[in-house]
Amino acid sequence: QVGRKAGAKEVEAQVTKVQSEAELALLTGCVIIVVLLGLIGLMRRQAASEKAAAWAGADVKLFAACLGVGWAVRFLVPIPEGVTPQAWSMLAIFIAMICGVVTGPLPPAGVTLVALAVAVASGTVTFAEGLRAFTDEVVWLVLLAFFFAEGFQKTGLGDRIALTVIRAVGSTALGVAYGLNLAELGVA
């Protein structure tokens, strides 16, 4: 008798867990559909305007595919034994983000911010945990390196420095090597 009651409670707990997971999947799917319909509405409104400028926003089809991949990983693939639902959600968000970076419905920074927003809004991470990575010095060092590289590329400063060094010491290969090393030291 006691064993049957314990077994019935376990089955009831399992059914409740499956129901809550199905409700979460349905709610998440509805939110994704609403966001995509909103983007399509914005596209149509802009196309109907008198100026008729080209849509410069997200590629809605690619964005939908990336969100669909994340949703499928989270809700259709069974969670392996020993993995928490929170960790599985984080994996699904990460896979959707990588899919977005590769396919490019938005610029990579936009995809990353959307992934961060989804992680915080879904309760997978807290707001503080989500922003903790932005306080790491290494992240800012890499980000600043990208900013400097973009600045050098847009202004042509790297080319001008290299041409100046070659003009000054370019008569020998050893002179070019020393000159470029000194220029690298100066830029760093």
Side-chain angles (χ1 to χ4, degrees), residues 1 11 15-16 30 34 37 40 46 68 74-75 78-79 100 130 133-134 140 166 171 187:
Q1 204 56 301
V11 169
V15 167
T16 304
C30 289
V34 167
L37 289 175
I40 290 170
Q46 185 175 358
R74 173 58 180 93
F75 296 110
I79 300 174
F134 292 107
W140 284 105
I166 289 174
S171 58
V187 170

Side-chain angles (χ1 to χ4, degrees), residues 64-136:
C66 295
L67 291 175
V69 166
W71 185 88
V73 167
R74 173 58 180 93
F75 296 110
L76 297 181
V77 176
I79 300 174
E81 192 69 31
V83 176
T84 65
Q86 181 183 16
W88 194 250
S89 294
M90 198 67 220
L91 175 69
I93 292 169
F94 180 72
I95 289 172
M97 183 189 78
I98 295 301
C99 181
V101 169
V102 171
T103 60
L106 289 171
V111 171
T112 305
L113 287 176
V114 168
L116 176 63
V118 168
V120 171
S122 66
T124 303
V125 295
T126 64
F127 187 74
E129 289 171 337
L131 294 181
R132 187 175 302 144
F134 292 107
T135 62
D136 189 9

Side-chain angles (χ1 to χ4, degrees), residues 148 150-160:
F148 278 117
E150 185 72 22
F152 274 47
Q153 185 178 7
K154 282 189 176 185
T155 62
L157 181 61
D159 293 339
R160 290 189 301 228

Side-chain angles (χ1 to χ4, degrees), residues 20-30 71 75:
S20 66
E21 190 73 19
E23 290 171 0
L24 181 62
L26 181 63
L27 177 66
T28 307
C30 289
W71 185 88
F75 296 110

Side-chain angles (χ1 to χ4, degrees), residues 162 164-183:
T164 303
V165 167
I166 289 174
R167 188 179 308 124
V169 292
S171 58
T172 66
L174 185 61
V176 170
Y178 281 132
L180 289 178
N181 280 325
L182 286 174

